[in-house]
Amino acid sequence: MLKQIKSMLVLITVVFTTAASAQTKEKQSLNSKEQAIVGISGLAGKGELSKLKDQLNAGLDAGLTINQIKEALMQVYAYAGFPRSLRGLQTFMAVLDERKAKGISDELGADASPIVSDKSKYGRGKAILEQLSGNKETGPKTGYAAFAPTIEVFLKEHLFADIFERDVLTYQQRELVTVSVLSGIGGVEPMLRSHLNLCLNVGLTPGQLQEFVAVIRKSVGETEANAAQKVLDEVLSNSK
């Protein structure tokens, strides 16, 4: 009897250890959909449309819905401008036409849920940013918000309310879109640093962010990946 109990305890230990190990490994990796989001967003931000087609196909093959990819490409404009976003969407339209001609049927997916709230758009955007950053905004405005108060309103009302509030993508997915676009356009290290910190706050792990850089290296380019790696190293060093 004692031998059976010991055997059972060993079995339970093995099961839990294996499950924990698998969970840890999973948290250190981006899944195929997340990797596709990185590639799509980075290339759209950079404007590499021929390479973007391959990533769009990879995203659809990985199970991203049409609406999820459209949402990522629409978000691109908040960081890289309407021209990059619109060219990305036009490229996506062409990809969908090509796939349809081949008899491939892709899932449309859910659209954004209606927003029902008594809060002002500014209040909703402010609450979302506080949730992403984990910090309450108190005290007088500083920096760009004090220098150009109107753009601070645009940021809260449009970026974080109009865009981030749409539930087609999760906050984690939206932050992956953001850091990928910023990596693709380059020269915006302070913003990339800020959003890599937000990535950690919304639950992306250091291992997943290292893999984000690896995807940027493979899909977007060495220069962009090296710059992103430098900023990520700083962020992870300061987060310890």
Side-chain angles (χ1 to χ4, degrees):
M1 183 67 177
L2 182 59
K3 186 176 180 180
Q4 289 177 328
I5 293 173
K6 286 183 177 179
S7 298
M8 188 176 296
L9 289 173
V10 170
L11 178 61
I12 292 171
T13 301
V14 169
V15 169
F16 275 99
T17 302
T18 303
S21 177
Q23 187 177 29
T24 300
K25 183 178 179 181
E26 182 181 356
K27 287 183 179 180
Q28 298 304 314
S29 302
L30 297 176
N31 62 38
S32 57
K33 292 181 183 180
E34 291 165 336
Q35 291 180 39
I37 285 173
V38 171
I40 288 168
S41 304
L43 288 168
K46 187 178 180 180
E48 290 273 5
L49 301 183
S50 59
K51 292 182 180 179
L52 177 59
K53 290 184 69 174
D54 292 336
Q55 287 297 313
L56 290 167
N57 276 294
L60 290 167
D61 291 340
L64 286 173
T65 68
I66 293 172
N67 279 340
Q68 285 175 323
I69 294 177
K70 283 198 297 185
E71 198 74 21
L73 291 171
M74 287 190 289
Q75 186 178 323
V76 167
Y77 99 84
Y79 301 97
F82 276 112
R84 289 283 191 254
S85 176
L86 293 176
R87 291 296 285 137
L89 287 165
Q90 289 167 343
T91 303
F92 189 34
M93 291 166 61
V95 167
L96 290 174
D97 286 342
E98 291 172 2
R99 291 172 70 91
K100 186 175 180 180
K102 295 176 182 177
I104 301 173
S105 179
D106 294 300
E107 183 183 352
L108 179 61
D111 204 345
S113 303
I115 303 300
V116 180
S117 176
D118 295 331
K119 284 186 177 180
S120 68
K121 189 182 290 187
Y122 182 90
R124 300 200 318 265
K126 180 174 179 287
I128 290 171
L129 179 55
E130 289 176 341
Q131 184 178 349
L132 292 172
S133 67
N135 297 316
K136 289 284 185 182
E137 284 195 20
T138 58
K141 302 296 181 185
T142 59
Y144 73 84
F147 181 70
T150 302
I151 201 168
E152 193 267 342
V153 173
F154 289 166
L155 190 74
K156 296 291 197 308
E157 292 189 348
H158 187 45
L159 177 59
F160 291 109
D162 284 340
I163 299 178
F164 267 69
E165 197 170 21
R166 291 169 58 84
D167 59 359
V168 180
L169 296 176
T170 66
Y171 287 160
Q172 286 190 359
Q173 290 171 327
R174 288 202 180 277
E175 282 303 326
L176 283 176
V177 171
T178 300
V179 294
S180 301
V181 175
L182 294 176
S183 298
I185 63 178
V188 288
E189 284 76 12
M191 291 75 187
L192 179 58
R193 184 178 299 108
S194 174
H195 279 279
L196 284 171
N197 276 303
L198 294 186
C199 284
L200 293 172
N201 288 336
V202 298
L204 289 164
T205 67
Q208 287 173 318
L209 293 180
Q210 294 287 4
E211 190 166 1
F212 141 74
V213 174
V215 176
I216 290 293
R217 189 177 308 280
K218 181 179 179 181
S219 60
V220 181
E222 287 285 338
T223 300
E224 293 81 2
N226 289 339
Q229 185 69 65
K230 182 178 179 181
V231 177
L232 177 59
D233 289 345
E234 294 173 4
V235 168
L236 295 180
S237 177
N238 291 333
S239 68
K240 291 179 181 177

